[in-house]
Amino acid sequence: MSAVPTVLVVDDSPTVRKIVQMTLQRENIRVIAAGDGLSALASVADEMPALILLDVQLPRMDGYQICQIIRKNLQFRQIPIIMLSGKDGLFDKMRGRLAGSTEYITKPFDSAELVQTVKKHLANWQERALPRYEGMRPRLRRRG
């Protein structure tokens, strides 16, 4: 397991992806990016990120649908998902919670707020990741 957490940024805007990537890399956080829902799901399966920053409005599949799919999978269910959206209404935030998001940040976001929120949810990422690997350890049997 890596000593540096990986954050998956899912946004159809290359500018937003780059801003988030630069901001988090300054904090020693590895960032991978996806521009649509299907790429995001593939990245979750391949990379097992410590946290996901997920835009609501995406091509092919919206962020709410992606969040629900991730939450239904036992292997990925514990990954914090922070929704990023230009929609700041109460209904939108509630819809995010109902889909399974951990938190909701409205765009445009403040870089310091983003870093603070990400760090808060990464505080115990290594402990959350350990159970995934326990089943892979070789087990020694006692002969008696």
Side-chain angles (χ1 to χ4, degrees):
M1 181 169 43
S2 173
V4 177
T6 298
V7 171
L8 170 61
V9 179
V10 186
D11 201 297
D12 57 333
S13 165
T15 304
V16 171
R17 290 193 308 262
K18 190 66 174 174
I19 289 169
V20 171
Q21 183 175 19
M22 290 170 44
T23 301
L24 295 180
Q25 285 178 337
R26 282 191 297 251
E27 301 296 323
N28 196 31
I29 297 170
R30 180 175 173 254
V31 178
I32 55 174
D36 63 66
L38 296 178
S39 299
L41 292 172
S43 294
V44 169
D46 292 344
E47 296 282 342
M48 191 72 84
L51 183 139
I52 301 168
L53 293 168
L54 181 60
D55 187 15
V56 170
Q57 294 179 304
L58 295 166
R60 297 194 207 162
M61 187 183 312
D62 70 29
Y64 302 119
Q65 293 169 309
I66 297 164
C67 189
Q68 288 173 330
I69 290 168
I70 293 169
R71 289 295 180 238
K72 288 178 183 175
N73 186 306
L74 291 174
Q75 188 176 10
F76 309 126
R77 164 177 298 170
Q78 297 303 315
I79 300 172
I81 300 173
I82 300 171
M83 299 291 247
L84 297 176
S85 177
K87 298 180 176 188
D88 66 350
L90 179 62
F91 174 76
D92 300 302
K93 292 177 182 180
M94 287 303 298
R95 189 170 174 206
R97 286 284 188 194
L98 290 172
S101 70
T102 310
E103 200 151 336
Y104 194 102
I105 296 177
T106 304
K107 294 185 216 174
F109 51 83
D110 176 65
S111 293
E113 175 194 8
L114 177 69
V115 168
Q116 180 183 1
T117 303
V118 167
K119 283 185 170 185
K120 175 177 78 173
H121 292 289
L122 288 178
N124 64 348
W125 72 274
Q126 288 180 314
E127 290 81 18
R128 270 195 331 267
L130 286 177
R132 289 190 285 242
Y133 299 103
E134 284 180 4
M136 295 180 189
R137 292 185 191 146
R139 296 180 187 209
L140 300 176
R141 293 185 181 173
R142 287 184 162 187
R143 293 185 184 204

